[in-house]
Amino acid sequence: MAATRTRNATPKFLGRLSLPERNFVAEALRTETVGGVLLLVAAIAALIWANTPLRDSYADVSHYHLGPASLGLDLSVQHWAADGLLAVFFFVAGIELKRELVAGDLKDPKAALLPVVAAVCGMAVPALVYTLTNITGGGSLDGWAVPTATDIAFALAVLAVIGTSLPSALRAFLLTLAVVDDLFAILIIAIFFTDTLNFAALAGAVVGLLVFWWLLRKGVRGWYVYVPLALVIWGLMYNSGIHATIAGVAMGLMLRCHRHQGEEHSPGEHIEHLVRPLSAGLAVPLFALFSAGVAVSGGALGDVFTRPETLGIVLGLVVGKAVGIFGGTWLAARFTRASLSEDLAWPDVFAVASLAGIGFTVSLLIGELAFAGDAVLTDEAKAAVLVGSLIAAILATTLLKIRNAKYRTLCEAEELDEDRDGIPDIYEQDNPAYHLRMAEIYERKAAEHRKLAEVAGGASDGDDGPA
C-alpha cells in the first residue's frame, strides 16, 4: 500500500511514496510495462494463429512433445510453457514478495493491513460470484479460483497503451495488490490443485531447497552452481505432484532482500534485476502464445455469456474484482481510521480495482488446472478469461480517462526538478540546501529580468526622440 507518515496523527492511504520506494516502483513497473506489452502482442498473435487456416499448425506445435521420458519430463510445448517457463515468473514473484516483507510496504504490519485485506477481498468476492453463478445455473464449481488472479503485467500494458499518467501511489498500490494476489494464487495452486503426491520426489525437492538455502547462507556465488540445482529442484517438484511453479516461488523467497552495510543492492534485488527481463520478456509471453490460442466465433462468444462456468469467470473478473478490492479497501481504511490522500478520491480506487480485473497469466494457468479433464470447457474458460479481462480493461480505461487531467497534474508535480539535482522537488521541501539552491536560481533569473527591463527601457527612451 502506498501510505506515508505525515505530521498529523491520521495515517494517509495512497499518500506520497518515500523516494527510495518510488524509485524502486518506477523501475519495477517499467520492466513490467514492457513485459505487459509483449504479453499483449503474444496473446493477439495466439488468437490470430488459432483462428486462421494455420490453426492446425498451432495445435501441432502446442502439443508437440519433447523432453526425457525417463525423468518423467516428456511434456508438450504447451506444458513446458505452463510448468517450466512460468516457474521463472513465480521465481520473480517470490523475490518481490520477500522484498515487500522485509524492506517494502508489507514490512510494517499496520501499513500492510490495507493492501492485504484488499487483495484477500479481491480474491474472495470473485470466487463467491463464480460459485453463486454456478450454483444458480447448475454449472461446475471446479473453476471457482479462475477469476481470483490479477495479471499486473497485462494491467500495466493497458496503462501504457491508453497513456494514462497514473500517479506513483496508485501504481504502487496496484503492484502491492498483485504481489499479495500472487501469494494467495500460489497457495491456491499448491493446496487445491495437487491430486496425488510422490513423497520420494517431494523429499528430494525439499533436500534440494535446503541445499539451495545453505549455499545462499554461505555466500556461494555463480550461476553455474544455482541454475543446475534449480533445474533439479524443479524436476523433482514436478514429479512430486505439486505444481512445479511452487519450486520457483520457494527459491525466490530464500534470497536475501535486505541490504547489508555498504551494499547498493541486496542479492535478491540484483538477481531480480537480472531475471525479471527474462520473465517478462520471454517466459510469460511464450506462455501466453501457447495458452491464449482459442477458437473465437460468434457462437463461442455467445456461449461465454450463457454457460454458467464461463459467465461466472467473466462476472468474477469484472464485478467480483472491482467490488472486492474496493470494498475491502474501504472497510480497511474505515476501521483503521486511515484517510485518503487529499489529491485522490474514492473513484480513483474503484478505477484501479476495476483494472485488477485483468486476470490473464495465472487465470489461464488455473483454468487449465481446474478443467484439466475437459478440453472443450478448458478452451471456453480461456475465452471467458480473455473476454472478462477485455471488459475489465475497457471499464478501467473509461474510469481512468475521466480523471486523466488530474493524474497528469499530479505526475508533473512528482517529476518536477527545478534545481536539477536528480531528486524531484516535492521530496526536498524540508531540505534547507534545496531552498538555498532555489534562492540562487531565482536571484539569477531576477538579475536577468532586470537586465532585460533596462534594455527594454533604454530602447523605449530612444524611440521617444523626434523623428
PDB file of all heavy atoms in Angstrom, residues 75-95:
ATOM      1  N   LEU A  75       7.109 -33.783 -22.018  1.00  0.00           N
ATOM      2  CA  LEU A  75       5.981 -32.860 -21.936  1.00  0.00           C
ATOM      3  C   LEU A  75       5.727 -32.190 -23.280  1.00  0.00           C
ATOM      4  O   LEU A  75       6.624 -32.076 -24.126  1.00  0.00           O
ATOM      5  CB  LEU A  75       6.254 -31.775 -20.886  1.00  0.00           C
ATOM      6  CG  LEU A  75       6.719 -32.239 -19.505  1.00  0.00           C
ATOM      7  CD1 LEU A  75       7.008 -31.041 -18.617  1.00  0.00           C
ATOM      8  CD2 LEU A  75       5.691 -33.155 -18.873  1.00  0.00           C
ATOM      9  N   SER A  76       4.499 -31.716 -23.464  1.00  0.00           N
ATOM     10  CA  SER A  76       4.170 -30.943 -24.660  1.00  0.00           C
ATOM     11  C   SER A  76       4.760 -29.543 -24.530  1.00  0.00           C
ATOM     12  O   SER A  76       5.097 -29.087 -23.426  1.00  0.00           O
ATOM     13  CB  SER A  76       2.650 -30.852 -24.838  1.00  0.00           C
ATOM     14  OG  SER A  76       2.081 -30.070 -23.797  1.00  0.00           O
ATOM     15  N   VAL A  77       4.859 -28.850 -25.669  1.00  0.00           N
ATOM     16  CA  VAL A  77       5.367 -27.481 -25.654  1.00  0.00           C
ATOM     17  C   VAL A  77       4.490 -26.603 -24.758  1.00  0.00           C
ATOM     18  O   VAL A  77       4.999 -25.779 -23.975  1.00  0.00           O
ATOM     19  CB  VAL A  77       5.420 -26.913 -27.091  1.00  0.00           C
ATOM     20  CG1 VAL A  77       5.710 -25.414 -27.074  1.00  0.00           C
ATOM     21  CG2 VAL A  77       6.465 -27.665 -27.916  1.00  0.00           C
ATOM     22  N   GLN A  78       3.179 -26.783 -24.851  1.00  0.00           N
ATOM     23  CA  GLN A  78       2.268 -26.010 -24.008  1.00  0.00           C
ATOM     24  C   GLN A  78       2.504 -26.313 -22.535  1.00  0.00           C
ATOM     25  O   GLN A  78       2.479 -25.419 -21.681  1.00  0.00           O
ATOM     26  CB  GLN A  78       0.819 -26.326 -24.383  1.00  0.00           C
ATOM     27  CG  GLN A  78      -0.209 -25.505 -23.621  1.00  0.00           C
ATOM     28  CD  GLN A  78      -1.639 -25.833 -24.042  1.00  0.00           C
ATOM     29  OE1 GLN A  78      -1.876 -26.848 -24.683  1.00  0.00           O
ATOM     30  NE2 GLN A  78      -2.569 -24.977 -23.680  1.00  0.00           N
ATOM     31  N   HIS A  79       2.771 -27.568 -22.229  1.00  0.00           N
ATOM     32  CA  HIS A  79       3.018 -27.986 -20.854  1.00  0.00           C
ATOM     33  C   HIS A  79       4.335 -27.403 -20.346  1.00  0.00           C
ATOM     34  O   HIS A  79       4.437 -26.953 -19.189  1.00  0.00           O
ATOM     35  CB  HIS A  79       3.058 -29.519 -20.796  1.00  0.00           C
ATOM     36  CG  HIS A  79       2.601 -30.073 -19.488  1.00  0.00           C
ATOM     37  ND1 HIS A  79       2.214 -31.374 -19.319  1.00  0.00           N
ATOM     38  CD2 HIS A  79       2.479 -29.495 -18.260  1.00  0.00           C
ATOM     39  CE1 HIS A  79       1.879 -31.582 -18.058  1.00  0.00           C
ATOM     40  NE2 HIS A  79       2.033 -30.461 -17.396  1.00  0.00           N
ATOM     41  N   TRP A  80       5.369 -27.412 -21.194  1.00  0.00           N
ATOM     42  CA  TRP A  80       6.648 -26.817 -20.813  1.00  0.00           C
ATOM     43  C   TRP A  80       6.480 -25.324 -20.511  1.00  0.00           C
ATOM     44  O   TRP A  80       7.087 -24.790 -19.574  1.00  0.00           O
ATOM     45  CB  TRP A  80       7.677 -26.998 -21.932  1.00  0.00           C
ATOM     46  CG  TRP A  80       8.405 -28.301 -21.896  1.00  0.00           C
ATOM     47  CD1 TRP A  80       8.275 -29.333 -22.786  1.00  0.00           C
ATOM     48  CD2 TRP A  80       9.368 -28.728 -20.939  1.00  0.00           C
ATOM     49  NE1 TRP A  80       9.095 -30.388 -22.430  1.00  0.00           N
ATOM     50  CE2 TRP A  80       9.785 -30.035 -21.297  1.00  0.00           C
ATOM     51  CE3 TRP A  80       9.920 -28.150 -19.799  1.00  0.00           C
ATOM     52  CZ2 TRP A  80      10.729 -30.752 -20.576  1.00  0.00           C
ATOM     53  CZ3 TRP A  80      10.865 -28.861 -19.074  1.00  0.00           C
ATOM     54  CH2 TRP A  80      11.261 -30.141 -19.447  1.00  0.00           C
ATOM     55  N   ALA A  81       5.645 -24.651 -21.311  1.00  0.00           N
ATOM     56  CA  ALA A  81       5.425 -23.216 -21.097  1.00  0.00           C
ATOM     57  C   ALA A  81       4.720 -22.965 -19.768  1.00  0.00           C
ATOM     58  O   ALA A  81       5.066 -22.039 -19.024  1.00  0.00           O
ATOM     59  CB  ALA A  81       4.610 -22.628 -22.248  1.00  0.00           C
ATOM     60  N   ALA A  82       3.718 -23.815 -19.452  1.00  0.00           N
ATOM     61  CA  ALA A  82       2.932 -23.611 -18.238  1.00  0.00           C
ATOM     62  C   ALA A  82       3.681 -24.018 -16.979  1.00  0.00           C
ATOM     63  O   ALA A  82       3.634 -23.317 -15.962  1.00  0.00           O
ATOM     64  CB  ALA A  82       1.610 -24.384 -18.334  1.00  0.00           C
ATOM     65  N   ASP A  83       4.381 -25.144 -17.035  1.00  0.00           N
ATOM     66  CA  ASP A  83       5.053 -25.660 -15.836  1.00  0.00           C
ATOM     67  C   ASP A  83       6.511 -25.223 -15.744  1.00  0.00           C
ATOM     68  O   ASP A  83       7.052 -25.092 -14.639  1.00  0.00           O
ATOM     69  CB  ASP A  83       4.994 -27.190 -15.811  1.00  0.00           C
ATOM     70  CG  ASP A  83       3.646 -27.700 -15.369  1.00  0.00           C
ATOM     71  OD1 ASP A  83       2.656 -27.024 -15.680  1.00  0.00           O
ATOM     72  OD2 ASP A  83       3.575 -28.754 -14.724  1.00  0.00           O
ATOM     73  N   GLY A  84       7.147 -25.028 -16.906  1.00  0.00           N
ATOM     74  CA  GLY A  84       8.560 -24.685 -16.911  1.00  0.00           C
ATOM     75  C   GLY A  84       8.815 -23.194 -16.920  1.00  0.00           C
ATOM     76  O   GLY A  84       9.389 -22.631 -15.987  1.00  0.00           O
ATOM     77  N   LEU A  85       8.359 -22.521 -17.973  1.00  0.00           N
ATOM     78  CA  LEU A  85       8.634 -21.088 -18.104  1.00  0.00           C
ATOM     79  C   LEU A  85       7.967 -20.276 -16.999  1.00  0.00           C
ATOM     80  O   LEU A  85       8.528 -19.294 -16.516  1.00  0.00           O
ATOM     81  CB  LEU A  85       8.181 -20.595 -19.478  1.00  0.00           C
ATOM     82  CG  LEU A  85       8.997 -21.116 -20.666  1.00  0.00           C
ATOM     83  CD1 LEU A  85       8.412 -20.618 -21.975  1.00  0.00           C
ATOM     84  CD2 LEU A  85      10.462 -20.703 -20.548  1.00  0.00           C
ATOM     85  N   LEU A  86       6.761 -20.679 -16.596  1.00  0.00           N
ATOM     86  CA  LEU A  86       6.089 -19.918 -15.539  1.00  0.00           C
ATOM     87  C   LEU A  86       6.782 -20.060 -14.192  1.00  0.00           C
ATOM     88  O   LEU A  86       6.546 -19.249 -13.292  1.00  0.00           O
ATOM     89  CB  LEU A  86       4.621 -20.330 -15.416  1.00  0.00           C
ATOM     90  CG  LEU A  86       3.650 -19.639 -16.372  1.00  0.00           C
ATOM     91  CD1 LEU A  86       2.219 -19.858 -15.922  1.00  0.00           C
ATOM     92  CD2 LEU A  86       3.925 -18.147 -16.508  1.00  0.00           C
ATOM     93  N   ALA A  87       7.636 -21.063 -14.041  1.00  0.00           N
ATOM     94  CA  ALA A  87       8.428 -21.171 -12.810  1.00  0.00           C
ATOM     95  C   ALA A  87       9.352 -19.964 -12.677  1.00  0.00           C
ATOM     96  O   ALA A  87       9.624 -19.494 -11.570  1.00  0.00           O
ATOM     97  CB  ALA A  87       9.226 -22.466 -12.798  1.00  0.00           C
ATOM     98  N   VAL A  88       9.832 -19.449 -13.809  1.00  0.00           N
ATOM     99  CA  VAL A  88      10.664 -18.247 -13.794  1.00  0.00           C
ATOM    100  C   VAL A  88       9.830 -17.056 -13.331  1.00  0.00           C
ATOM    101  O   VAL A  88      10.273 -16.235 -12.519  1.00  0.00           O
ATOM    102  CB  VAL A  88      11.265 -17.981 -15.194  1.00  0.00           C
ATOM    103  CG1 VAL A  88      12.110 -16.717 -15.183  1.00  0.00           C
ATOM    104  CG2 VAL A  88      12.082 -19.172 -15.658  1.00  0.00           C
ATOM    105  N   PHE A  89       8.607 -16.959 -13.855  1.00  0.00           N
ATOM    106  CA  PHE A  89       7.688 -15.892 -13.454  1.00  0.00           C
ATOM    107  C   PHE A  89       7.430 -15.933 -11.945  1.00  0.00           C
ATOM    108  O   PHE A  89       7.478 -14.907 -11.252  1.00  0.00           O
ATOM    109  CB  PHE A  89       6.377 -16.037 -14.232  1.00  0.00           C
ATOM    110  CG  PHE A  89       5.237 -15.218 -13.697  1.00  0.00           C
ATOM    111  CD1 PHE A  89       5.134 -13.859 -13.965  1.00  0.00           C
ATOM    112  CD2 PHE A  89       4.243 -15.810 -12.927  1.00  0.00           C
ATOM    113  CE1 PHE A  89       4.072 -13.110 -13.470  1.00  0.00           C
ATOM    114  CE2 PHE A  89       3.181 -15.070 -12.439  1.00  0.00           C
ATOM    115  CZ  PHE A  89       3.105 -13.712 -12.706  1.00  0.00           C
ATOM    116  N   PHE A  90       7.178 -17.123 -11.422  1.00  0.00           N
ATOM    117  CA  PHE A  90       6.888 -17.252  -9.997  1.00  0.00           C
ATOM    118  C   PHE A  90       8.147 -17.087  -9.148  1.00  0.00           C
ATOM    119  O   PHE A  90       8.057 -16.711  -7.979  1.00  0.00           O
ATOM    120  CB  PHE A  90       6.203 -18.591  -9.712  1.00  0.00           C
ATOM    121  CG  PHE A  90       4.730 -18.579  -9.988  1.00  0.00           C
ATOM    122  CD1 PHE A  90       4.209 -19.175 -11.119  1.00  0.00           C
ATOM    123  CD2 PHE A  90       3.862 -17.944  -9.125  1.00  0.00           C
ATOM    124  CE1 PHE A  90       2.851 -19.154 -11.381  1.00  0.00           C
ATOM    125  CE2 PHE A  90       2.506 -17.910  -9.362  1.00  0.00           C
ATOM    126  CZ  PHE A  90       1.993 -18.519 -10.504  1.00  0.00           C
ATOM    127  N   PHE A  91       9.315 -17.363  -9.713  1.00  0.00           N
ATOM    128  CA  PHE A  91      10.572 -17.082  -9.015  1.00  0.00           C
ATOM    129  C   PHE A  91      10.697 -15.586  -8.765  1.00  0.00           C
ATOM    130  O   PHE A  91      11.019 -15.148  -7.645  1.00  0.00           O
ATOM    131  CB  PHE A  91      11.745 -17.588  -9.858  1.00  0.00           C
ATOM    132  CG  PHE A  91      13.102 -17.240  -9.305  1.00  0.00           C
ATOM    133  CD1 PHE A  91      13.576 -17.834  -8.147  1.00  0.00           C
ATOM    134  CD2 PHE A  91      13.907 -16.313  -9.949  1.00  0.00           C
ATOM    135  CE1 PHE A  91      14.834 -17.516  -7.637  1.00  0.00           C
ATOM    136  CE2 PHE A  91      15.160 -15.986  -9.450  1.00  0.00           C
ATOM    137  CZ  PHE A  91      15.623 -16.584  -8.292  1.00  0.00           C
ATOM    138  N   VAL A  92      10.413 -14.784  -9.788  1.00  0.00           N
ATOM    139  CA  VAL A  92      10.435 -13.327  -9.629  1.00  0.00           C
ATOM    140  C   VAL A  92       9.356 -12.884  -8.644  1.00  0.00           C
ATOM    141  O   VAL A  92       9.588 -12.002  -7.813  1.00  0.00           O
ATOM    142  CB  VAL A  92      10.248 -12.635 -10.992  1.00  0.00           C
ATOM    143  CG1 VAL A  92      10.123 -11.119 -10.832  1.00  0.00           C
ATOM    144  CG2 VAL A  92      11.417 -12.958 -11.915  1.00  0.00           C
ATOM    145  N   ALA A  93       8.177 -13.514  -8.716  1.00  0.00           N
ATOM    146  CA  ALA A  93       7.107 -13.177  -7.772  1.00  0.00           C
ATOM    147  C   ALA A  93       7.536 -13.473  -6.336  1.00  0.00           C
ATOM    148  O   ALA A  93       7.216 -12.712  -5.409  1.00  0.00           O
ATOM    149  CB  ALA A  93       5.838 -13.963  -8.113  1.00  0.00           C
ATOM    150  N   GLY A  94       8.281 -14.571  -6.141  1.00  0.00           N
ATOM    151  CA  GLY A  94       8.774 -14.899  -4.811  1.00  0.00           C
ATOM    152  C   GLY A  94       9.753 -13.856  -4.289  1.00  0.00           C
ATOM    153  O   GLY A  94       9.712 -13.476  -3.110  1.00  0.00           O
ATOM    154  N   ILE A  95      10.635 -13.366  -5.169  1.00  0.00           N
ATOM    155  CA  ILE A  95      11.575 -12.314  -4.766  1.00  0.00           C
ATOM    156  C   ILE A  95      10.818 -11.038  -4.415  1.00  0.00           C
ATOM    157  O   ILE A  95      11.126 -10.367  -3.421  1.00  0.00           O
ATOM    158  CB  ILE A  95      12.596 -12.044  -5.889  1.00  0.00           C
ATOM    159  CG1 ILE A  95      13.419 -13.299  -6.182  1.00  0.00           C
ATOM    160  CG2 ILE A  95      13.529 -10.907  -5.489  1.00  0.00           C
ATOM    161  CD1 ILE A  95      14.365 -13.154  -7.363  1.00  0.00           C
TER     162      ILE A  95
END
